[in-house]
Amino acid sequence: MQESRARVLKHQRQVEDSARRQVPELTFLISTLDAGIYSVPRYDELPGARFLIVHQLSEAHQDEAQRDIFREYVLAHFDSRFEYLAVAGRGLSKSRNIALAACPTRYAYILDDDVQLHPQAVSLVMEAFTCTEAAAISFPHVKAFPLHERDPDRPAPPVAFKAHTLMSLARVRSVDMALDLCQFHARFDEQFGLGTEQPSGEEFIVMSDARRQGARLMRANLGIVAHAGVTSGSDFYSSPAKARTKGRMFARVTGSRFSPLALAFLVRKAPIAFKRGYLATFVGNFFR
């Protein structure tokens, strides 16, 4: 039936805080590119959830015939829990910012197009914000959920929270981030992230910017997202661009290429790069 279909947004939108305060619910923000739309799960295990898909179209996929193919797939595959916005261009941080601006609810959780969600994800996130009154809470992602955690009727384990430090923010990935958009006003630096010349680091930068603004940032001990693949930030050594990006990320956050935080990262991660056979690539490009 028509009313059970996803809602296709014709234009980008900007939702004000005053409007979001009237909708104290959670929206999962999904970024995808081109054929990545076919990887987005239906999330049938979360019947009451809300989703917003920002679908970036590269130049080869921007003609009207291809747009129609994608649009018809979305209408046939996704139900009314989903909103869909197709935009021209690429760059993951740009996509995230479009999604944050368009999010219609006070609370948002950032997702990729290839992850699974804990069946109690919505209640766990909302309870976490009630407990902490934080501007952002990170939930560490896992490779896969144990069988007992896939049962929506099984009580969720207890969740504990700690305040983030600048060092702990470096471990946050975008699929870990739950945000109160009425308190969290930092936005992703579009010079960093997949689709740019600096293909990682955007999560650390946006969370560090929020910390600098005085936002209350917490970390939970429970992962509510399962991500089987390797996150973009985990490979920091295998090319000059990836190594440079990490050094520039710390320079962007601390104001210095040779900050104690950058040096600590270099010393800690050098053995991993050595083990993988990329020590010269990593060390030789980190400060460039």
Side-chain angles (χ1 to χ4, degrees):
M1 296 176 64
Q2 182 67 29
E3 60 268 25
S4 68
R5 290 186 173 188
R7 179 187 176 198
V8 175
L9 304 180
K10 295 183 179 180
H11 306 286
Q12 295 182 35
R13 69 185 179 202
Q14 179 78 45
V15 180
E16 300 297 330
D17 282 355
S18 57
R20 289 197 181 105
R21 289 184 190 279
Q22 307 304 313
V23 192
E25 299 177 31
L26 174 67
T27 300
F28 293 98
L29 308 179
I30 302 171
S31 292
T32 192
L33 173 70
D34 294 339
I37 188 66
Y38 302 128
S39 300
V40 177
R42 290 171 51 93
Y43 293 114
D44 292 327
E45 71 277 14
L46 283 88
R50 301 176 64 147
F51 300 89
L52 170 62
I53 301 173
V54 173
H55 186 194
Q56 288 182 310
L57 304 177
S58 62
E59 188 171 348
H61 293 82
Q62 291 178 21
D63 62 277
E64 197 57 38
Q66 183 62 69
R67 284 175 175 264
D68 286 342
I69 291 172
F70 286 139
R71 188 182 303 114
E72 289 305 314
Y73 173 82
V74 167
L75 291 173
H77 193 72
F78 298 108
D79 60 30
S80 58
R81 295 171 300 152
F82 290 80
E83 290 187 308
Y84 171 79
L85 175 62
V87 295
R90 56 189 303 144
L92 185 55
S93 288
K94 183 177 182 179
S95 176
R96 305 284 197 213
N97 286 338
I98 292 171
L100 290 173
C103 181
T105 60
R106 176 167 182 166
Y107 303 101
Y109 198 107
I110 295 175
L111 297 180
D112 287 341
D113 57 14
D114 58 351
V115 300
Q116 293 180 306
L117 284 169
H118 192 287
Q120 299 177 52
V122 175
S123 61
L124 288 169
V125 171
M126 296 303 291
E127 288 170 9
F129 279 115
T130 299
C131 292
T132 64
E133 299 183 345
I137 306 169
S138 65
F139 294 82
H141 65 275
V142 296
K143 290 292 185 183
F145 294 122
L147 284 174
H148 70 274
E149 288 197 2
R150 301 176 197 172
D151 180 1
D153 297 322
R154 183 182 180 90
V159 186
F161 304 96
K162 292 182 179 179
H164 264 298
T165 64
L166 187 59
M167 183 66 79
S168 68
L169 290 178
R171 295 192 289 271
V172 176
R173 298 293 174 257
S174 58
V175 295
D176 303 344
M177 296 171 58
L179 309 175
D180 176 351
L181 296 182
C182 291
Q183 296 190 71
F184 189 95
H185 296 112
R187 290 297 179 261
F188 288 90
D189 188 329
E190 296 181 8
Q191 298 182 68
F192 289 81
L194 290 176
T196 74
E197 295 180 356
Q198 300 172 126
S200 67
E202 72 279 9
E203 310 98 325
F204 181 45
I205 291 171
V206 73
M207 293 289 273
S208 298
D209 286 350
R211 183 174 183 266
R212 190 177 301 112
Q213 295 170 3
R216 178 177 171 81
L217 309 177
M218 304 296 291
R219 50 189 170 127
N221 65 333
L222 177 68
I224 63 170
V225 169
H227 189 282
V230 177
T231 57
S232 58
S234 300
D235 179 2
F236 52 85
Y237 49 78
S238 67
S239 73
K242 291 176 180 179
R244 282 195 302 270
T245 295
K246 289 303 183 187
R248 293 174 181 178
M249 174 190 77
F250 285 111
R252 165 70 169 75
V253 169
T254 66
S256 170
R257 287 182 180 268
F258 302 97
S259 67
L261 196 61
L263 294 172
F265 181 88
L266 181 69
V267 170
R268 182 179 179 184
K269 298 297 186 179
I272 299 175
F274 174 77
K275 184 177 180 180
R276 302 289 192 274
Y278 290 97
L279 181 62
T281 301
F282 176 53
V283 176
N285 291 278
F286 186 78
F287 293 113
R288 290 188 177 179

